[in-house]
Amino acid sequence: MKLIIFAGPPTCGKTTVIRQVIKRILTKNLKPSFIKIDVLFADEDETIAKDFGIPTRKIYSGELCPDHCNVVVLDEAVEWAEKQGSDFLFVETAGLCLRCSPYVENSLGIVVLESTSGMNLPRKIGPMLTLADIAVITKIDLISQAEREVFRYRVLEAAKEITVVESNALYGIGIDPIVRKIIDSKEVELPMFLRGNPPVGTCTICVGKKEIGAKNHFGVLRTMDQDLFYVGE
Amino acid sequence: MGDIISIVGPTGCGKTTLINDIELFATKNTPSERTILINDEPVPEDFTFDPSKHPIALISQHTNFLSDLPVGDFLRIHAKVRGADNVDTIIEETLDFANQLTGESINRLTGMTELSGGQTRSLLIADAVIIGNSPIILLDEIENAGIHRTKALELLKKYDKIFVFVTHDSRIALLSDFRIIMKNGSMEKMIITGPEERRAAMELKKIDDVMLEFRRLIRAGEEITDEIFNSQIKNLAYSN
Ligand SMILES: Nc1ncnc2c1ncn2[C@@H]1O[C@H](COP(=O)(O)OP(=O)(O)OP(=O)(O)O)[C@@H](O)[C@H]1O
Ligand SMILES: Nc1nc2c(ncn2[C@@H]2O[C@H](COP(=O)(O)OP(=O)(O)O)[C@@H](O)[C@H]2O)c(=O)[nH]1
Ligand SMILES: [Mg+2]
Ligand SMILES: [Mg+2]
């Protein structure tokens, strides 16, 4: 099973890119399945199942952080896709958190960024970009060629080793090189491990402590002026 | 001097699509399903993956920037991407070129997104010619941006490049070495500008200059009196 994980801010074009990829994967007689992970609402699973006739699922993270949800369900997701007889599992993440990244060892991590989102975006989104294998820059039809080159530079400045692909995803321009990388990617092995390091410590806020102020929390903390320190066992 | 080529044809006939296909080196992956070859050969992959090797600059119909950077920073990065060594001189030269085409001048500290439509087009042209320094430059409807188009043509001619103009402007079309006529999405015909057309172009230039002069006067807040009108029309060797 090849696991392809797509991340990126809302409306950057993840679904549009995935649909173009699926179209091309199907013409090569390969078998993809698709999972959408989101917080409250998603309909990509229904439209993709209807338009391409492939196995799809959606998972609502609800109360849980969507990246956390991704970590706790992905093993079952891979087993599900195996049962469907798929060669590839495409996962579209919610793409909300800028501190975590959803990529797994041996998966192919694809971050989707829209070229219209400003020159500082690549500097803002952290591991979602720096731990990815491919950065797909969408909506190149909406900006000038000069801006495209400067945006690409900003992406490479933040993630030196990444492969950059520029795309007008509406027309499928730039999709073929992504498909080649997907086909050449590695098989995932169970048990799977998250790529890179997750955020430091166990977050007391995530587990429901709402009081403001470092004195009300434990684990790795900081104050306004003090660097990171640790309270606890 | 390089070559000047125009692409003409009615609205919607596919002129913009053609030059976009050329810039993207289309391989049946655009709405037209065209394939672009260079000297009958497929295009080398690094042309599309390494911007500094890309031989074509495209100045699209876009009249606004989306980059949240000051002009100077933007040009600096672009010059770096394009492998320039004397970045400061090149930025200076680019702004200088752009400012010859605009009314209000652009400076390094202006935000890209604050530029007007005409300033944006001017900067894009200057950037493509000087920073991009690409051997082939595609320009989509240079005449529609409120920039000084005759000045632009004059400046561009100093550079040894292939210019491809998509245009509805008879003067630009007749100043070209040849023009491609498009219809229903495809190239129908090519006309090489012959001596008769060159003579016609000289005459049209006079009319055009008069029209430009009226435009200048109106923009400057002048009233067009009989006296001004007659003195301008005399330039055409007509009288009323
Ligand atoms: N060869 C082609 N095959 C299929 N569709 C095409 C082709 N050429 C153009 N089109 C489609 O026709 C439409 C109009 O094309 P385009 O914008 O290139 O026209 P244009 O000549 O630049 O018009 P204008 O003068 O208004 O700028 C577009 O939707 C484009 O996708
Ligand atoms: N012009 C243009 N629009 C695009 C492109 N890619 C995506 N879009 C549009 O952007 C919007 C959001 O895309 P979608 O794929 O749903 O984003 P997601 O939230 O990341 O899945 C849709 O309206 C798409 O049609 C592109 O390359 N060019
Ligand atoms: Mg989506
Ligand atoms: Mg057009």
Side-chain angles (χ1 to χ4, degrees):
Chain A
M1 175 69 50
K2 297 184 177 189
L3 175 60
I4 320 299
I5 300 178
F6 289 81
T11 76
C12 63
K14 297 180 293 296
T15 307
T16 314
V17 170
I18 292 170
R19 292 175 64 91
Q20 293 284 0
V21 168
I22 290 174
K23 205 186 327 176
R24 287 164 176 73
I25 290 279
L26 289 174
T27 63
K28 296 181 196 295
N29 288 321
L30 296 167
K31 296 200 203 82
S33 51
F34 170 82
I35 286 187
K36 169 69 190 173
I37 298 179
D38 217 315
V39 183
L40 292 175
F41 174 80
D43 61 4
E44 286 91 339
D45 57 320
E46 290 155 38
T47 49
I48 288 180
K50 179 166 144 283
D51 296 342
F52 299 106
I54 66 169
T56 68
R57 285 284 296 268
K58 82 178 136 223
I59 299 165
Y60 287 139
S61 62
E63 315 280 75
L64 213 55
C65 151
D67 281 331
H68 191 117
C69 174
N70 178 55
V71 173
V72 294
V73 303
L74 215 50
D75 53 345
E76 285 182 75
V78 168
E79 280 166 19
W80 168 80
E82 248 151 27
K83 274 206 205 94
Q84 310 300 315
S86 299
D87 310 307
F88 299 89
L89 172 59
F90 293 114
V91 178
E92 178 180 345
T93 66
L96 299 173
C97 178
L98 304 180
R99 186 58 198 84
C100 293
S101 93
Y103 315 119
V104 172
E105 293 291 353
N106 292 331
S107 71
L108 188 71
I110 301 182
V111 64
V112 181
L113 305 173
E114 49 187 325
S115 56
T116 49
S117 53
M119 293 296 168
N120 288 323
L121 180 80
R123 296 178 167 188
K124 288 178 183 168
I125 59 168
M128 194 199 284
L129 169 61
T130 54
L131 294 178
D133 301 292
I134 304 177
V136 181
I137 301 175
T138 55
K139 310 196 184 181
I140 58 167
D141 49 312
L142 301 180
I143 64 166
S144 61
Q145 190 192 32
E147 284 177 291
R148 247 162 69 190
E149 291 179 20
V150 171
F151 192 78
R152 166 196 280 258
Y153 172 88
R154 295 284 237 191
V155 169
L156 285 167
E157 188 184 53
K160 301 206 167 38
E161 305 289 317
I162 210 161
T163 302
V164 176
V165 177
E166 292 170 334
S167 173
N168 172 349
L170 289 181
Y171 288 146
I173 293 165
I175 301 295
D176 292 335
I178 307 171
V179 172
R180 282 202 292 276
K181 287 263 185 189
I182 287 174
I183 289 174
D184 293 344
S185 66
K186 295 199 187 98
E187 300 275 327
V188 283
E189 285 162 27
L190 295 170
M192 296 185 288
F193 293 91
L194 210 49
R195 194 183 290 186
N197 294 316
V200 179
T202 303
C203 174
T204 45
I205 299 141
C206 287
V207 301
K209 270 178 82 67
K210 295 210 282 186
E211 295 91 332
I212 306 293
K215 66 178 187 300
N216 299 312
H217 292 268
F218 55 85
V220 177
L221 305 173
R222 61 162 294 170
T223 63
M224 281 268 282
D225 301 316
Q226 209 175 350
D227 278 337
L228 295 182
F229 60 90
Y230 181 76
V231 176
E233 285 182 274
Chain B
M1 213 192 87
D3 294 324
I4 298 184
I5 300 146
S6 287
I7 298 175
V8 300
T11 296
C13 67
K15 304 181 291 295
T16 300
T17 306
L18 174 65
I19 63 165
N20 282 342
D21 284 352
I22 297 174
E23 192 267 336
L24 287 165
F25 300 122
T27 50
K28 297 201 194 315
N29 58 351
T30 63
S32 67
E33 296 178 29
R34 254 193 202 96
T35 304
I36 301 294
L37 303 173
I38 299 181
N39 298 332
D40 297 329
E41 303 279 336
V43 178
E45 274 219 340
D46 57 347
F47 277 19
T48 22
F49 289 112
D50 181 354
S52 66
K53 295 215 172 68
H54 199 298
I56 298 175
L58 171 71
I59 295 145
S60 46
Q61 280 171 301
H62 294 125
T63 48
N64 56 341
F65 282 116
L66 295 163
S67 305
D68 42 2
L69 285 177
V71 168
D73 291 6
F74 181 86
L75 295 178
R76 179 170 303 279
I77 297 174
H78 197 210
K80 229 157 85 184
V81 172
R82 286 302 187 123
D85 1 271
N86 43 356
V87 173
D88 279 302
T89 345
I90 279 204
I91 294 175
E92 207 58 54
E93 204 184 320
T94 306
L95 285 174
D96 208 52
F97 188 119
N99 284 334
Q100 293 186 59
L101 306 180
T102 55
E104 296 287 320
S105 65
I106 306 165
N107 75 55
R108 285 168 190 246
L109 299 178
T110 316
M112 300 278 286
T113 49
E114 292 164 37
L115 301 178
S116 72
Q119 287 176 318
T120 301
R121 299 295 300 280
S122 303
L123 191 63
L124 281 171
I125 294 170
D127 172 273
V129 173
I130 295 162
I131 292 179
N133 195 20
S134 314
I136 302 171
I137 300 195
L138 313 175
L139 298 104
D140 205 349
E141 296 192 25
I142 186 175
E143 66 268 20
N144 280 355
I147 64 166
H148 205 311
R149 91 192 124 90
T150 37
K151 185 83 194 167
L153 269 178
E154 207 176 284
L155 283 174
L156 291 174
K157 276 186 170 172
K158 292 188 194 144
Y159 293 83
D160 198 13
K161 296 179 186 304
I162 299 173
F163 291 102
V164 180
F165 291 97
V166 166
T167 189
H168 294 288
D169 185 303
S170 51
R171 181 165 175 186
I172 294 176
L174 292 174
L175 282 172
S176 312
D177 299 301
F178 60 90
R179 62 182 184 277
I180 293 164
I181 293 101
M182 297 205 54
K183 202 175 151 190
N184 291 331
S186 60
M187 295 182 267
E188 270 249 312
K189 194 159 124 180
M190 192 184 90
I191 297 178
I192 297 173
T193 314
E196 282 182 35
E197 285 200 330
R198 295 215 179 273
R199 271 200 301 282
M202 294 306 292
E203 292 306 308
L204 285 173
K205 177 176 182 304
K206 289 184 200 160
I207 299 173
D208 194 42
D209 285 341
V210 168
M211 293 305 289
L212 285 175
E213 181 57 17
F214 279 119
R215 188 175 85 171
R216 190 192 65 76
L217 289 167
I218 286 166
R219 276 181 170 183
E222 301 285 332
E223 255 177 70
I224 307 299
T225 58
D226 277 352
E227 191 188 342
I228 291 179
F229 181 78
N230 287 329
S231 78
Q232 286 302 322
I233 290 297
K234 268 202 208 84
N235 292 338
L236 298 177
Y238 306 127
S239 55
N240 72 338

